[in-house]
Amino acid sequence: MKKFLILLLLTILVNPLLAQKKLIQKLLSNEKDTTRKASFMPIPVLGYAQETGFEFGLGALYSFYMDRKDTTNRSSNFSGTASYSTKKTYNLTLKGDAWTPGNKYHFIGELKFRKTPFNFYGLGNNTNQKDEDRLVQQLMKIQLDAEKTFIKNAYTGLSIGFEDYNFTDKVAGGIYSTSPILYDRAGGSVLYLGVSQSYDTRNSNNYPTKGFFGRVTYQYAPDIYGGSNFTGSQVKVNVRNFWSLAPKVVLGVQGLYHTVQGDKTPFYLLPQLGNDEMMRGYYTGRYRDENLLAAQAELRYRFMNRFGIVAFAGGGKVFANGNFSLHDLKPDYGFGGRYFFDTAKGLSVRLDYGVGEKKADEKRQSGMYISLAEAF
């Protein structure tokens, strides 16, 4: 009996240590998975802000190949985030990026429901912190794109999108309620119909080490809803290129242009500077106007198959139609770390810290981001 108790105690102590050792070995493993199997990565959503209270939820990314035998087939990735806060705000986002066998068809989809507070500072490239006005936004968004290749590396597609916005002003007498140039303050709906053209020579859609990607989309919003709802068009241009500077070092550059053309464009449809992908460090919506122009470069060092670090820098601005200049570009720079949970596909969890401009009488703008997959 005594020997049995000793053996049981050793089993209880050793098994967790062995499991922990296997986990550490997996995390630090420098081996590359070549089985092309599906992968799944969950990450918790935890945070606190005065406006939302405590926020908690879960995000996850599922990745697989539609044709595992074809080594040229790009991976299909589906991600989702669901969160709720103690002040009854919520966010549900589902995104899909699917490639059929032979990469003949490419499908992109996004579904988003959100009710959350955000800060509004006015329009233009030089808004001030002192004008901060707190709003609550309720959003529903659906976006579907379908592309087909007719020429090698080139994809032509169609898209449809629907967005519905509703706003509540939490602070009476602020810039949101007093500005004479804001249209559709209470919100509205818009339906887009569009076309797209892309060209893609990247060797991976998750972690490219060489190649070019360029995509141009044109979307038109017809007069369906009448009244003050938006009628007009928007154009987005997104170009990227990647160079392998050394076996473990990659340089990536990206340029982005987004314009909205129409009469009395609602403020909520205007391009916004700053997010976890471009112009990291700026509060999304601090600067917004009819046009957005931004560029960035990122140096990536993947010193192990599981781990990497990056440094990035760039610049950008927003501006009204017919009022373009380069003299007041906003700076952006920072660094980050990567953990590759699927080494074969190059899928990672990233932690980035971005820094922006320092305006007079304001703190330097900055932000930290935890996200799935590379910024671009």
Side-chain angles (χ1 to χ4, degrees):
M1 186 66 179
K2 187 176 181 180
K3 291 182 179 180
F4 174 76
L5 291 175
I6 293 174
L7 180 61
L8 181 61
L9 180 60
L10 288 174
T11 301
I12 293 173
L13 292 174
V14 171
N15 279 348
L17 293 175
L18 291 176
Q20 187 179 40
K21 181 180 179 182
K22 289 180 180 179
L23 177 61
I24 294 174
Q25 287 176 340
K26 181 180 178 181
L27 292 175
L28 298 179
S29 172
N30 204 35
E31 295 180 0
K32 187 172 183 178
D33 184 1
T34 59
T35 61
R36 293 175 62 83
K37 62 184 179 182
S39 60
F40 176 77
M41 182 63 182
I43 59 171
V45 176
L46 297 171
Y48 174 81
Q50 182 178 354
E51 298 88 351
T52 62
F54 288 98
E55 183 181 16
F56 51 90
L58 184 67
L61 187 149
Y62 177 69
S63 178
F64 67 97
Y65 293 102
M66 289 194 179
D67 186 351
R68 289 178 60 182
K69 295 181 180 179
D70 180 7
T71 57
T72 65
N73 185 212
R74 296 182 182 272
S75 68
S76 296
N77 305 319
F78 292 86
S79 63
T81 302
S83 65
Y84 186 77
S85 81
T86 53
K87 292 192 177 181
K88 298 182 179 181
T89 68
Y90 60 83
N91 176 38
L92 173 63
T93 302
L94 301 173
K95 292 183 179 181
D97 189 332
W99 296 82
T100 63
N103 300 323
K104 291 182 179 180
Y105 292 91
H106 181 208
F107 299 99
I108 307 171
E110 180 179 10
L111 175 64
K112 180 181 294 186
F113 297 94
R114 176 185 292 172
K115 180 182 179 181
T116 183
F118 77 98
N119 299 327
F120 179 72
Y121 300 89
L123 306 184
N125 199 54
N126 291 292
T127 59
N128 298 308
Q129 179 74 32
K130 63 181 178 62
D131 292 327
E132 177 182 288
D133 201 351
R134 293 182 178 177
L135 312 178
V136 173
Q137 172 186 265
Q138 188 165 316
L139 163 68
M140 179 176 69
K141 177 180 179 181
I142 302 173
Q143 178 73 37
L144 298 171
D145 293 74
E147 299 179 330
K148 185 182 187 303
T149 178
F150 296 97
I151 303 174
K152 185 179 179 181
N153 300 324
Y155 291 84
T156 303
L158 300 173
S159 66
I160 183 171
F162 171 79
E163 299 175 21
D164 180 79
Y165 296 83
N166 183 272
F167 297 93
T168 303
D169 190 357
K170 304 298 289 184
V171 181
I175 190 173
Y176 176 74
S177 59
T178 60
S179 175
I181 58 174
L182 293 186
Y183 304 109
D184 276 6
R185 282 184 175 84
S189 300
V190 59
L191 175 70
Y192 286 112
L193 301 173
V195 294
S196 65
Q197 181 62 56
S198 62
Y199 186 75
D200 191 353
T201 66
R202 296 172 299 171
N203 58 347
S204 169
N205 58 313
N206 299 317
Y207 189 81
T209 59
K210 62 180 180 179
F212 170 83
F213 171 82
R215 189 167 192 256
V216 179
T217 62
Y218 171 82
Q219 293 178 310
Y220 178 72
D223 186 9
I224 293 178
Y225 299 99
S228 60
N229 287 278
F230 175 70
T231 300
S233 61
Q234 66 175 352
V235 177
K236 295 181 181 180
V237 181
N238 189 343
V239 293
R240 312 171 188 176
N241 204 85
F242 301 89
W243 298 269
S244 182
L245 305 182
K248 297 181 179 181
V249 181
V250 175
L251 173 64
V253 297
Q254 180 187 23
L256 185 67
Y257 175 64
H258 181 188
T259 181
V260 176
Q261 303 290 327
D263 293 329
K264 298 182 179 180
T265 303
F267 78 96
Y268 50 83
L269 296 181
L270 297 175
Q272 304 176 53
L273 188 78
N275 54 45
D276 67 333
E277 297 178 346
M278 174 67 82
M279 298 301 291
R280 286 163 277 184
Y282 288 89
Y283 181 86
T284 303
R286 169 64 190 267
Y287 305 111
R288 65 177 80 203
D289 214 321
E290 293 169 315
N291 300 272
L292 164 67
L293 180 67
Q296 65 181 341
E298 186 168 282
L299 190 64
R300 302 170 178 174
Y301 177 38
R302 190 173 176 178
F303 56 89
M304 296 177 64
N305 275 333
R306 290 284 179 185
F307 295 97
I309 55 176
V310 306
F312 56 87
K317 65 173 296 184
V318 295
F319 56 96
N321 290 329
N323 191 28
F324 172 70
S325 68
L326 291 175
H327 77 274
D328 53 354
L329 285 172
K330 309 291 184 186
D332 166 59
Y333 58 91
F335 58 91
R338 305 289 184 266
Y339 168 68
F340 294 89
F341 62 90
D342 189 322
T343 58
K345 300 188 189 76
L347 289 169
S348 62
V349 177
R350 60 184 172 94
L351 174 64
D352 288 331
Y353 179 72
V355 179
E357 71 173 351
K358 170 69 172 68
K359 296 189 69 174
D361 301 321
E362 294 184 12
K363 293 181 179 180
R364 182 174 296 278
Q365 298 187 57
S366 63
M368 183 170 289
Y369 310 88
I370 301 176
S371 305
L372 290 165
E374 297 298 319
F376 66 96

